[in-house]
Amino acid sequence: GVLNTSMIIVSCLYISVGYFGYMRYGENVAGSITLNLPNDFLATVVKLVMSLAIFFTYALQFYVPVDVILPFFQRRVSPANWLYADYALRYSLCLFTFGLAAAIPKLDLVISLVGAMSSSTLALMAPPVLEMVCYWETDFMTRGRIFKNCSIFTIGFIGFLTGTYVSLTNI
């Protein structure tokens, strides 16, 4: 319940910022809404708070990837150095993504491509497939559920194709 509630709140906040940002700036909206803000005191405070939020939460986003990758590195070092391997992996991932952000000139286009490919796959295509694989031979998988899962997968696949196509043409 906590995860669902927090994701609903965060999604509503993102949708409202996107909606009102587009309503205010229209076609002239930049890749990040903070780029459209004027250089007055309130806008500077907003940019500072956004920067601090990213600064303090960016490394947390690597919790799952590090949890998956870390055993590979821990097998190659002695148990006494596992903590150092953990820190080295976390710092390396952060520095690698910072380097990519600095090296790619139009990062917003790459982010939209990654979002189109991964978001629709993770959010709309993978869950119905997993549900059908896990419950296929049980009474839980009725014709209605199969239709629901196929419909959700189809919507996700169409979003995947159109989003990827639009992103690639923009790049």
Side-chain angles (χ1 to χ4, degrees):
V2 173
L3 179 62
N4 289 338
T5 304
S6 63
M7 288 305 296
I8 288 171
I9 292 170
V10 168
S11 296
C12 289
L13 288 172
Y14 276 130
I15 290 168
S16 64
V17 167
Y19 175 77
F20 289 118
Y22 189 76
M23 291 302 295
R24 169 65 176 91
Y25 298 108
E27 293 292 326
N28 297 325
V29 70
S32 173
I33 195 69
T34 57
L35 297 174
N36 289 98
L37 297 177
N39 286 326
D40 61 357
F41 177 74
L42 183 60
T44 304
V45 170
V46 168
K47 291 176 187 178
L48 179 67
V49 169
M50 288 288 293
S51 299
L52 288 174
I54 292 169
F55 178 76
F56 286 119
T57 61
Y58 187 72
L60 290 174
Q61 297 174 25
F62 289 111
Y63 181 79
V64 173
V66 166
D67 206 31
V68 171
I69 299 170
L70 188 59
F72 173 78
F73 289 102
Q74 285 179 337
R75 285 193 299 258
R76 286 158 175 70
V77 297
S78 68
N81 294 325
W82 282 5
L83 184 62
Y84 297 121
D86 186 9
Y87 287 157
L89 179 62
R90 291 177 192 276
Y91 283 120
S92 299
L93 285 174
C94 285
L95 291 175
F96 176 71
T97 55
F98 290 160
L100 284 178
I104 298 172
K106 296 195 177 207
L107 188 61
D108 57 331
L109 298 177
V110 176
I111 289 173
S112 74
L113 176 64
V114 170
M117 293 175 73
S118 63
S119 294
S120 58
T121 303
L122 289 173
L124 295 173
M125 292 167 55
V129 170
L130 290 173
E131 183 179 82
M132 287 176 42
V133 166
C134 290
Y135 296 111
W136 186 255
E137 295 182 5
T138 65
D139 294 336
F140 182 76
M141 194 53 59
T142 62
R143 287 183 186 214
R145 287 196 187 273
I146 293 172
F147 177 75
K148 175 200 70 147
N149 286 336
C150 290
S151 300
I152 293 171
F153 181 86
T154 303
I155 292 168
F157 189 69
I158 291 170
F160 169 81
L161 289 178
T162 56
T164 303
Y165 174 76
V166 169
S167 297
L168 287 175
T169 55
N170 286 341
I171 290 175

